[in-house]
Amino acid sequence: MTKYANIALSGPLRKTFTYKIPENLEKLHLGQRVLVPFGKMKKVGFYIGTSSFSPGIRYKNLIQTLDNQTYFPKDLFKLCIWIADYYFANPADCLLSALPAYFKNKKTSQYFWTTAPCEIPQNVLRYFKPGYKLSSQVIKDIQLLEKNIFRKLLEEKSIIEHWLDEPHNRKSKISGYKIESIDAWDIYFHERQFQTEIFDGIKPRTELIQNGWTDYQLKKAVEHLVLVPVYIEDSKIPLDFIKPKDDLDKIILTKNQQDVVEQLLQKFSDGFSTSLLHGVTGSGKTIVYCYLCREILQKNKSALILTPEIALTSTTLAYFRGFFGDKVTVIHSAMTEKERLESWNGIREGKYQIVVGPRSALFAPIDNLGLIIVDEEHDSSYKQDDPAPRFHGRDSAIMRAKINNIPILLGSASPSVESYHNAMTNRYTLYELTERPGNAVLPTVRLVDMRVDRLRGDLPYISYTLKKEVEARLQNDEQVILFLNRRGHSPQMKCMKCGHVPECPNCNLRLTYHKKGNKLTCHYCGHLTPVVENCEKCNTVDFYFMGVGTQKVEENIPRLFEGARPIRMDSDSADGRKKAYEILTHFSERKSNLLLGTQMVTKGLYMPGVTLVGVLSADALLDMPDFRASEKAFARLLQVSGRSGRAEKQGEVVIQTFNPENEVIQDDAGQDYSGFFRRVIKEREELWYPPFSRIVNFTLSCEKENLLEKETLLFREKLNHKIKTQNLTVQLLGPAPCPIYYLRNRYRRHLFIKTNQVIKFVKMLSEWEDVESRFKLPAAIRINVDVDPDDMM
């Protein structure tokens, strides 16, 4: 009986495709990679289940499986399919997200001669060497000799086509071989009339080569179970430059911490549950995580620890390595392909029991998972915006915990409004850490009104108050953190004669000046251009660099603060896998006494020498056209304030603002999360924003503005009709130009819906797209569907 497979292929279409399963293929496993014909191409797809026959359709055969197994544990496969369904994503894109880059790189086929020279035409024999790989030039030569000869040789099995190697062959080297079977040895070598001696134990590969063995002979002997390869395992620990934190075993939990640990462990025995740990900054949430994981490991279970971004991963990893040693690994996109593959293999093989990483670590193939922890759960970095799948790491982690029937713990000093509301309505269980350990206390917060207290001249971004406080701390051999959430030197370069400001040709946004490299760059599309000596409009040479970024502040620190030894941390100075860790280590070892940075310095850092934090511009955080702007601003200000006063000396925070009466800034000055939440949740309820509804954002883009306006209106009409037909409770807003209207040479418009029936709504979209591919939009129009968006820009 013919069987049919449902195959997911990566691409713009969310639909899956049905193929015939050839009789010679073994049983397929969910998530297994297969090679299929697609038009005139061959594409790699994923088997996601059986399909049924529909009359009138001519089905193509699967070509082959690419792996002899699936790389997806059952829970991980279910999670990927759930993400595809809930976030309106292509299942293949979700499954690809769970694999290392090794599987994503496009690789050409490799061709080898077989041992059957009688099947090879005489004019090709000069190319024949059994077992040898054919070079691309040889393949071209054979194809020139006769039009169809290469295809004929493939069909007659004179040439064998090999695709991707097994990933474990990339992680270690073959050091030698041992004999698997003497009987097989005698039969195999007697048939081939090879003269070689039987050996005992393990024979080094180099010695066998010296004794006349060829790579082909070794390969075939392994295939016929005559020889068994012996591998040298690469014992190098991934990111071994991140050292374990010392003396963690000497830390004694406070009564508050101990009570929370005991209550959580009791809760964890109930199976799936979601708990929220709300702890003030510096209250020791990471130590609580370590104690909880120790109990999980004692039950022979594994744990997954998610952090919001790569820079914070190194700090968390150091803590867990200090507690658990080589049982801990890390996985994230800044690792080299080899490092990530080694870590991924180690997780699959059960070498590691604790996995630490950002949202991509959610897809780690962990066996026997017992606990998931999401640190800094409020952070917007958990939401993937581009490319697809546009999933939320925190919410997807909750679903993975539910699939496994295990507990999940969310932790934050400033919980998201949605999570805290869930705790207040008993969907989550709330636990609180209300004090810092030892003699440490929360810092005092002082607001500085920049309308009346700022330096004149070319340093208007520093107040007299902050300058005096920084100088005092540096004189007392204490450390300071300055926070400015704008990288680069100056947000714009303006001609003093005609007022011209260079803009990005792809986005119509003003270019940011970077002094290093003397360049102008667009922080959205990456466009770079060198700074010109003359204005392109009036040819003058007089420019004014307006505004301030971290590079300009760093440049002027010697003028501002005598004795300062600054170091800067932003995405320009801390790119790559090592630099962020090296900067933080440099500062923690007190080789620098002033750390200047963007949002990378606002969370997760334990620096006991820091007694002062200066926020250079609180207002910039509040100026975004987003209903979450106040929540994000409050969280960032509270988090950066928490870096101060972690040891016995009380810390201080100086917040510079032109609007000290602003309610968000006042809440932060009082470190009053409860007051902030009560005010914001009332506003959200009145306007029917999350958590009282869910949002789905549709962004349409096109190179032609008129076509975009026309098609966006037509799409809105169709969408509105579908909503009414399905009788859904939906509020439809828009269309309107996106706040960033022109991006990467495309005009952009969006519309979004608010609903409390998001699952039914997404199902309706899927059914619509099954009937009308891409909602019947013209090819010139691109559409992105973002469920639960975090960024509305």
Side-chain angles (χ1 to χ4, degrees):
M1 180 178 175
T2 304
K3 295 182 179 180
Y4 298 87
N6 204 15
I7 305 298
L9 298 173
S10 186
L13 301 178
R14 291 185 63 255
K15 64 184 295 185
T16 56
F17 300 86
T18 300
Y19 289 87
K20 271 198 245 180
I21 303 176
E23 293 181 1
N24 62 328
L25 282 186
E26 298 179 3
K27 180 182 177 182
L28 296 175
H29 304 279
L30 293 175
Q32 192 169 7
R33 295 184 310 139
V34 295
L35 187 67
V36 296
F38 193 80
K40 296 181 180 180
M41 302 180 295
K42 296 176 182 176
K43 294 192 73 172
V44 176
F46 294 89
Y47 172 70
I48 61 172
T50 58
S51 186
S52 57
F53 172 81
S54 296
I57 299 177
R58 184 181 176 184
Y59 293 100
K60 295 181 180 180
N61 282 341
L62 289 177
I63 298 174
Q64 66 185 82
T65 57
L66 297 181
D67 315 299
N68 58 11
Q69 60 184 316
T70 178
Y71 295 121
F72 296 88
K74 289 182 179 179
D75 73 308
L76 184 53
F77 178 80
K78 287 182 180 178
L79 175 69
C80 291
I81 298 303
W82 177 84
I83 289 175
D85 290 341
Y86 181 80
Y87 290 102
F88 197 72
N90 186 329
D93 291 338
C94 300
L95 292 163
L96 270 175
S97 297
L99 295 178
Y102 167 75
F103 293 94
K104 303 172 189 178
N105 295 340
K106 293 182 179 178
K107 296 182 182 294
T108 57
S109 304
Q110 296 180 349
Y111 298 94
F112 293 86
W113 286 117
T114 66
T115 56
C118 58
E119 299 177 4
I120 301 174
Q122 290 295 319
N123 56 354
V124 183
L125 276 176
R126 62 193 179 96
Y127 295 116
F128 176 70
K129 289 183 180 180
Y132 277 68
K133 179 183 174 183
L134 281 71
S135 69
S136 58
Q137 186 58 51
V138 168
I139 293 171
K140 289 178 182 177
D141 289 346
I142 296 174
Q143 290 171 330
L144 286 173
L145 289 171
E146 186 180 329
K147 188 174 181 181
N148 295 318
I149 191 171
F150 194 75
R151 181 176 297 177
K152 182 180 178 183
L153 292 172
L154 272 173
E155 291 173 353
E156 294 179 354
K157 308 299 183 186
S158 298
I159 294 175
I160 300 295
E161 180 181 8
H162 291 264
W163 276 73
L164 298 177
D165 296 330
E166 289 291 318
H168 67 263
N169 293 337
R170 294 278 300 268
K171 75 170 185 181
S172 51
K173 294 181 180 178
I174 296 175
S175 63
Y177 296 85
K178 63 181 180 181
I179 296 174
E180 172 74 4
S181 166
I182 296 296
D183 292 335
W185 176 284
D186 291 338
I187 295 170
Y188 180 76
F189 287 109
H190 176 73
E191 288 178 351
R192 286 155 180 75
Q193 299 180 349
F194 290 157
Q195 298 296 320
T196 184
E197 59 175 335
I198 296 177
F199 57 86
D200 296 323
I202 297 173
K203 203 79 165 178
R205 182 179 183 280
T206 52
E207 187 176 331
L208 291 175
I209 296 294
Q210 289 172 357
N211 291 342
W213 286 72
T214 65
D215 286 330
Y216 171 70
Q217 290 174 350
L218 290 172
K219 179 181 178 182
K220 289 298 177 183
V222 171
E223 288 178 0
H224 287 79
L225 302 180
V226 175
L227 295 181
V228 177
V230 178
Y231 291 95
I232 299 177
E233 292 292 335
D234 190 345
S235 59
K236 184 178 178 181
I237 300 172
L239 304 189
D240 58 349
F241 57 85
I242 299 177
K243 303 304 180 186
K245 194 169 179 61
D246 297 330
D247 301 327
L248 289 181
D249 55 336
K250 297 179 182 178
I251 296 178
I252 300 174
L253 294 181
T254 66
K255 185 179 185 306
N256 191 191
Q257 291 171 333
Q258 185 65 46
D259 289 344
V260 166
V261 168
E262 292 174 358
Q263 293 166 16
L264 281 167
L265 289 174
Q266 185 176 358
K267 181 69 176 177
F268 288 174
S269 62
D270 297 339
F272 170 68
S273 64
T274 306
S275 302
L276 175 63
L277 178 58
H278 179 204
V280 299
T281 56
S283 58
K285 291 183 288 295
T286 307
I287 294 297
V288 169
Y289 301 157
C290 290
Y291 272 84
L292 292 171
C293 288
R294 187 172 65 179
E295 297 296 321
I296 295 298
L297 264 61
Q298 287 176 357
K299 297 178 181 179
N300 294 319
K301 299 280 188 178
S302 302
L304 172 63
I305 318 299
L306 296 181
T307 61
E309 54 186 86
I310 293 170
L312 186 55
T313 297
S314 61
T315 305
T316 306
L317 181 62
Y319 266 92
F320 277 86
R321 278 184 173 166
F323 246 85
F324 303 103
D326 58 6
K327 295 179 182 179
V328 185
T329 192
V330 61
I331 191 164
H332 59 64
S333 58
M335 298 166 70
T336 65
E337 183 178 326
K338 182 180 179 182
E339 285 175 333
R340 196 168 186 185
L341 186 60
E342 287 169 352
S343 184
W344 182 80
N345 271 310
I347 295 167
R348 288 182 62 232
E349 296 163 0
K351 181 179 177 181
Y352 305 110
Q353 290 179 276
I354 296 178
V355 179
V356 178
R359 64 172 181 260
S360 59
L362 173 69
F363 299 107
I366 306 170
D367 190 31
N368 208 20
L369 192 58
L371 173 65
I372 299 176
I373 295 174
V374 183
D375 192 26
E376 309 291 1
E377 64 85 25
H378 68 278
D379 200 282
S380 59
S381 299
Y382 281 117
K383 183 66 165 76
Q384 167 108 350
D385 291 320
D386 220 23
R390 297 174 179 84
F391 69 98
H392 199 297
R394 177 198 62 212
D395 297 344
S396 300
I398 293 173
M399 179 51 65
R400 187 168 187 182
K402 186 175 183 179
I403 291 170
N404 283 277
N405 193 31
I406 61 171
I408 180 169
L409 175 63
L410 315 179
S412 177
S414 52
S416 66
V417 171
E418 290 91 338
S419 293
Y420 201 75
H421 176 73
N422 285 335
M424 293 294 98
T425 53
N426 298 321
R427 292 187 63 189
Y428 299 169
T429 306
L430 179 65
Y431 301 89
E432 294 184 302
L433 293 173
T434 57
E435 59 188 23
R436 290 182 167 183
N439 297 321
V441 295
L442 291 173
T444 59
V445 181
R446 194 191 320 181
L447 300 181
V448 174
D449 188 345
M450 293 294 283
R451 293 171 296 188
V452 296
D453 181 4
R454 68 178 187 271
L455 301 181
R456 302 301 173 185
D458 61 344
L459 301 171
Y461 46 85
I462 296 290
S463 64
Y464 289 101
T465 300
L466 181 58
K467 184 178 187 305
K468 183 176 68 173
E469 293 296 337
V470 171
E471 289 173 340
R473 296 310 196 281
L474 298 182
Q475 288 174 5
N476 291 335
D477 197 27
E478 298 168 11
Q479 290 181 296
V480 175
I481 293 177
L482 295 181
F483 167 56
L484 175 63
N485 203 38
R486 184 183 289 129
R487 64 189 179 98
H489 184 278
S490 303
Q492 54 186 278
M493 185 181 80
K494 187 173 185 177
C495 174
M496 293 293 287
K497 182 177 180 181
C498 69
H500 172 67
V501 177
E503 292 184 344
C504 174
N506 306 321
C507 306
N508 282 0
L509 296 171
R510 290 173 174 176
L511 294 171
T512 300
Y513 172 62
H514 286 248
K515 192 163 188 178
K516 184 178 180 181
N518 198 32
K519 60 190 178 184
L520 294 168
T521 182
C522 175
H523 289 170
Y524 287 89
C525 75
H527 172 78
L528 287 173
T529 184
V531 174
V532 293
E533 294 182 0
N534 302 83
C535 174
E536 59 187 20
K537 296 293 184 182
C538 68
N539 207 37
T540 191
V541 295
D542 194 7
F543 293 102
Y544 174 56
F545 296 95
M546 300 179 66
V548 59
T550 50
Q551 290 181 10
K552 181 184 279 190
V553 177
E554 181 187 34
E555 177 183 80
N556 286 297
I557 281 176
R559 293 173 56 198
L560 286 163
F561 311 119
E562 184 179 351
R565 303 187 306 277
I567 191 167
R568 176 170 54 88
M569 185 175 179
D570 53 31
S571 56
D572 297 315
S573 64
D575 61 333
R577 46 196 274 282
K578 282 187 177 182
K579 289 185 179 178
Y581 178 74
E582 290 171 348
I583 290 170
L584 294 177
T585 301
H586 190 275
F587 188 65
S588 66
E589 292 174 352
R590 303 185 77 109
K591 295 176 182 177
S592 298
N593 56 8
L594 192 152
L595 175 63
L596 165 68
T598 57
Q599 51 88 25
M600 299 176 78
V601 304
T602 63
K603 48 187 176 280
L605 308 182
Y606 177 74
M607 301 292 177
V610 175
T611 58
L612 176 67
V613 167
V615 178
L616 300 191
S617 178
D619 306 316
L621 301 171
L622 293 164
D623 294 338
M624 305 298 288
D626 185 347
F627 76 93
R628 285 195 176 95
S630 62
E631 179 184 358
K632 293 177 182 178
F634 177 84
R636 198 153 287 172
L637 290 172
L638 187 70
Q639 292 285 338
V640 74
S641 299
R643 302 314 105 202
S644 181
R646 292 293 188 105
E648 294 185 358
K649 290 185 179 179
Q650 184 173 11
E652 186 177 8
V653 182
V654 175
I655 298 177
Q656 299 185 159
T657 174
F658 285 90
N659 187 13
E661 297 83 14
N662 182 277
E663 291 177 315
V664 175
I665 294 175
Q666 287 289 330
D667 288 337
D668 186 78
Q671 300 182 66
D672 181 14
Y673 177 82
S674 296
F676 168 78
F677 173 79
R678 287 192 298 270
R679 181 168 46 78
V680 170
I681 200 69
K682 184 178 179 182
E683 295 171 356
R684 298 275 185 94
E685 186 174 18
E686 290 174 353
L687 297 172
W688 205 41
Y689 274 112
F692 301 99
S693 68
R694 294 294 182 93
I695 291 178
V696 180
N697 190 36
F698 299 87
T699 304
L700 291 83
S701 66
C702 182
E703 294 179 357
K704 298 178 180 178
E705 188 174 15
N706 291 338
L707 179 62
L708 175 64
E709 292 180 3
K710 173 188 170 185
E711 292 298 332
T712 305
L713 290 171
L714 286 174
F715 176 76
R716 186 195 191 282
E717 289 179 11
K718 292 180 183 179
L719 179 61
N720 196 33
H721 175 72
K722 293 285 183 181
I723 291 168
K724 290 179 179 179
T725 302
Q726 296 287 328
N727 197 28
L728 297 175
T729 304
V730 170
Q731 183 180 346
L732 177 57
L733 302 173
C738 295
I740 301 176
Y741 183 48
Y742 190 71
L743 185 67
R744 300 182 182 93
N745 292 310
R746 300 181 73 85
Y747 296 95
R748 305 166 70 242
R749 297 178 75 84
H750 71 156
L751 62 155
F752 66 94
I753 63 100
K754 293 187 280 189
T755 181
N756 52 14
Q757 297 175 303
V758 67
I759 294 175
K760 290 183 178 180
F761 180 81
V762 174
K763 183 181 178 182
M764 178 270 292
L765 289 180
S766 298
E767 292 171 350
W768 179 10
E769 197 188 39
D770 286 342
V771 177
E772 297 181 352
S773 180
R774 295 185 66 253
F775 310 111
K776 231 173 180 178
L777 289 166
I781 302 289
R782 293 179 190 166
I783 183 169
N784 290 334
V785 181
D786 193 356
V787 180
D788 297 338
D790 185 81
D791 184 359
M792 303 290 285
M793 298 295 286

